[in-house]
Amino acid sequence: MSMLWRNWLAFVAVLATILSILATLSVLQYDSILTRLIQERLAVVAETAASSFRPVINLGLPISTVRNAENLLASAQAIDSAVSGIKVFHPTGIVVHTTPQEDRDPIPEDVLLLQSLSSGDRWTAENATELLTGVTLRNRANKPIGGILVSASNDRFEIKSHAMAIRIAIAAGITFAVFSILALLILRLRLNGAIRGLGKLERISAKFSSDSPRQNGTPDTGGPGKLDAGAVQFGFLSGEIVRLENLLAQAYENFGIARQQLERLVPSPPKSASTESVPVSGSVLASVPETALARIFARHMTPWALVIILGSALTLGMFVHQEVTKSFEPELAARTKVIGTVANNNIQRAINAGVPLTNLVGAETYFGELLEHFPEVSYFGIATGRIVYEAGTRQKFAFAPERSRKDLTTFPITDNGEQIGYIIIDANPEYFALQFRDTLLDFGVVILVVLLLAFQIMTVVMSRSLTAPFMRLQHLAGLQAANDFSKVIAASGATAIDRLSQKLSQHALELHRLFAAALSHLSIDQARTALKDVQDQFRLRRSGPDRLLFSYLNDVRLPLFLFAAADELPLAFFPIFTRAADNPLSWLDPGVVISLPLAGYLVAIVFGSPLARPLAERFGHRKLLLMAILPTMLAHLGLYFATDVIQIVVFRTITGLGYAIVALCCQDYVLDVVPGKDRNRSLGLFTAAMFSGIFAGAALGGVLADRLGQHEVFAVSAGLVLVSGYLTYRLLPARAAGELVWKKGLSGYLPPIWQPLHSRQFAALVFGIAVPANILLQAFISFLVVLQLNALGASAADTGRILMTYFLAIVFVGPAVPHLFGGRLGPAPVGLLGAVLSAISLGVYVLWPAQWSMLIAVAGAGIAHGMVRDSQVAVAMEIAENDLAHLGTNTVLGSLRTLERLSSMIGLILVAFLSSHIGNVNATALIAGLILIGAGAFAWAFFGAGVSSPSQRPEGN
């Protein structure tokens, strides 16, 4: 299959995945909003029914004494035809009144629990057949004495949801077809030169694969290393093909020389022996540095890929928005009608009692209360040809001369069968715009998430299909061009690259076959001496060649992304989930109980972090990741079935241990397989992949919980962990058996964390950079931001979007730092700049406390974290390889990770304690001051007079 079709199929697969996710989430989001609108309609009916019972409750009478309760409930039910039944119940769930044809079964326990956990008097629920809205009834002492539950069949909801799902699916299919064709055209244009380059590779493969025209073992290539006469450039493959052709020519020449020398030593080698009979001695893990080819290919294709994916997502998004808006219009009109009917019934009741329309005392106050309870309405008015009573703000178009009264939403008021006036209601366009604004923002978040996922998938797919095989072939050809025939690679494909790789491997096996035959036939010392010279010159061995297994940064990108997303999916609702569970620890403060799962999660990270690197050396990265993924997946399933707090704490602690092992094992994989000169850049890409997953999980968890339910989100998390494990098994190479040896000198799994602190520079790194950065993360981002934004009047959605800027900043800044500072600043100065930037960002908020300054502080902290996170690891590795070489990297990194996480826990507790005494703003100022003091100590230790450190040198020097 040609490169064009391979890349197009990969691209189509990504496009199908992205549009499927987007369409599914769009349907879920539509269902969530539609459910909320219907339940809010039911809330109007519930409030109407409750208003009929409150006078009796205020007299101190039980709700069971209301004799005409059935008539009152029937009247309330008539307000909205969607209502199927209304129940009035005691706190124990016993039903005391109900509408006709409604059963008197007790209220389910889960509904009563939901009522008890509700922060207000209004709450909603749903089951398999009904949508429910309830209102809590309270006495004068504000104690609950019962409730009213209004139900509506979800048949209409299911019909609307199914119809919308079909329309979105058809739109997604059409969008997929159109953009797939567009992708094929763009790929054909952008890869035109590269396709010709692969055609050149086919010709090279045909020449080098033929053994007949050989002169000293070198095939007639027609001038290797030079482009064909009159040939056009081969796109971004031009230089790489020329380099590869030169390497192949030299490799073939060396092979021919080696075979001639061996054949002279063994005049009649066995002709029937096959290279397949030559044993492969073992497997060797090789790290191939990222070449210019991978970067050029990414620059060449990524912008166009993002344009196509973003274009398809926006096209589908625009269609979904139009369809959703059109679908909600009848629901919004019905809701306004219900509110108008309630107001009309109350006014009509006063008129029927003999009160003149012009003498309705308190009408405007009543309307004002309605506006307060129902913000979707902006204006109430009573007119008799002129406005008699009004409240709120009229919409300018409502009474414009060009509009007649029949165009307005009115509710007639009658007296003795004659209309004496009418109620006018204007919907609040700002309220509905706010609802759609939140929908659009959520949709934008979803698009951003699927773009991040698409980028990770595209990066891995392109690497596995083109750049990685090409780099493997170049590596093997380079070895043989340098007279090293000790390695082979497994290439089972049918492309020119695979055929060339197979041919080079066959050459190595053939030389080892001849070498083995010579060893078995020669007995003269002089001949053995000559054979020894050939063995040393061409790296031949008695045991046969090694099979090369290659490792890349991209091996862990997609598995880490999915694992991090799975871990963060419950973030948006986990405290509520814990609060709703059974609590066997009733002797503990409820706030402490809710925090126990998070505490267990952090404790697991603290104790699991030092284990990651020693265990990776013991078992290998892939095996350790698989060992950690299995219990993590089972823990997510355990949370799906969990019913009490103790179970939740246990399973969440296991997920914390799994997260610590997986995240740090992936980081260690990058540190171990990437050459030192590319370490800082690769760590930035690692951070981007991990925080992309964190952002994706945090953004999607709330959307999934709204429609699927909280428990079901854990099942989704378990599924993502399972996929992550499968990709880990498929993408990461297995460590060779000979490497599974416990290194001598390790005293145990837990390294002594205090020993590296003898180094002044390491102590300055830990307490000057790492500890303040983690205190900022836990105490400011995870604690103070939420509290202070709440105090400033921000909604939970606004708070979430502001916090998302922190993760987004890390995603984009982490990989960009090496490009911005590479060759000019080393990791130590970059980390120092990040610390100073974080302190300045917090200072902006301290000086001008507001939502806009909080946004600046959070975004600045994210940018700073992107600069500090990988720089501190790189500095620690340099210290471990120099000043602390006697301790080893395990002890140094284990000390860094343990100390920074312990300090973040202690810092969180101290800041939480101080904020209650000195205020959130002053606590933020305290964190900024701590960061500046730490930055000063770090600068003195690394850049003070007479101090010399490799960390000070620019990267690459």
Side-chain angles (χ1 to χ4, degrees), residues 464-487:
R464 304 287 294 186
S465 65
L466 178 63
T467 59
F470 202 98
M471 286 190 292
R472 290 197 295 266
L473 174 59
Q474 279 188 336
H475 183 76
L476 184 60
L479 289 177
Q480 295 191 5
N483 285 327
D484 186 352
F485 288 86
S486 63
K487 306 291 190 298

Side-chain angles (χ1 to χ4, degrees), residues 672-710:
D672 292 339
V673 306
V674 174
K677 63 184 182 64
D678 296 329
R679 179 182 294 161
N680 210 28
R681 181 177 184 275
S682 298
L683 283 174
L685 295 174
F686 162 84
T687 297
M690 184 174 70
F691 277 91
S692 294
I694 291 173
F695 170 82
L700 295 182
V703 177
L704 295 176
D706 283 343
R707 185 56 193 158
L708 299 179
Q710 296 177 1

Side-chain angles (χ1 to χ4, degrees), residues 50 91 142 201 243 271 404 432 688 843 880:
N142 202 35
L201 272 184
R243 178 169 176 262
K271 299 295 183 181
S404 62
F432 297 132

Side-chain angles (χ1 to χ4, degrees), residues 500-528:
L500 286 169
S501 299
Q502 293 165 6
K503 193 63 180 178
L504 294 181
S505 297
Q506 289 172 4
H507 286 176
L509 291 170
E510 183 176 350
L511 292 182
H512 279 82
R513 179 183 65 82
L514 292 172
F515 177 69
L519 282 176
S520 62
H521 286 80
L522 292 180
S523 59
I524 304 174
D525 293 340
Q526 185 177 2
R528 288 189 177 274

Side-chain angles (χ1 to χ4, degrees), residues 22 26 312-322 440 443 447:
L22 195 57
S26 297
S312 64
L314 290 178
T315 301
L316 181 60
M318 292 174 61
F319 172 81
V320 170
H321 179 255
Q322 292 177 355
L440 289 175
F443 199 82
I447 290 179

Side-chain angles (χ1 to χ4, degrees), residues 547-685:
R547 179 179 289 108
L548 282 175
L549 299 176
F550 293 88
S551 56
Y552 309 92
L553 164 67
N554 289 331
D555 294 340
V556 297
R557 289 184 67 151
L558 190 54
L560 178 63
F561 177 91
L562 295 175
F563 188 92
D567 187 75
E568 296 300 323
L569 275 179
L571 183 65
F573 63 86
F574 205 91
I576 300 174
F577 174 77
T578 306
R579 185 179 64 183
D582 295 335
N583 180 21
L585 309 175
S586 56
W587 48 274
L588 274 178
D589 179 80
V592 175
V593 172
I594 294 173
S595 68
L596 286 179
L598 177 59
Y601 182 87
L602 293 176
V603 169
I605 290 179
V606 169
F607 287 100
S609 296
L611 299 176
R613 192 164 184 84
L615 289 176
E617 289 192 349
R618 172 79 176 186
F619 299 106
H621 297 97
R622 186 176 78 159
K623 184 174 290 187
L624 177 59
L625 286 173
L626 294 176
M627 291 169 58
I629 283 173
L630 179 60
T632 304
M633 181 190 70
L634 295 177
H636 282 292
L637 289 177
L639 288 169
Y640 172 78
F641 293 105
T643 57
D644 62 52
V645 172
I646 294 178
Q647 295 173 354
I648 293 173
V649 171
V650 171
F651 290 129
R652 191 56 176 164
T653 301
I654 296 174
T655 63
L657 180 62
Y659 176 81
I661 296 295
V662 169
L664 294 178
C665 184
C666 288
Q667 186 183 66
D668 289 338
Y669 183 83
V670 174
L671 293 173
D672 292 339
V673 306
V674 174
K677 63 184 182 64
D678 296 329
R679 179 182 294 161
N680 210 28
R681 181 177 184 275
S682 298
L683 283 174
L685 295 174

Side-chain angles (χ1 to χ4, degrees), residues 347 350-351 354-364 382-389 413 415 420-421:
I347 298 297
I351 298 299
V355 180
L357 181 61
T358 56
N359 293 337
L360 291 175
V361 179
E364 293 184 347
I382 297 180
T384 60
R386 63 182 181 85
I387 300 299
V388 181
Y389 305 102
I413 302 173
D415 187 14
I420 61 174

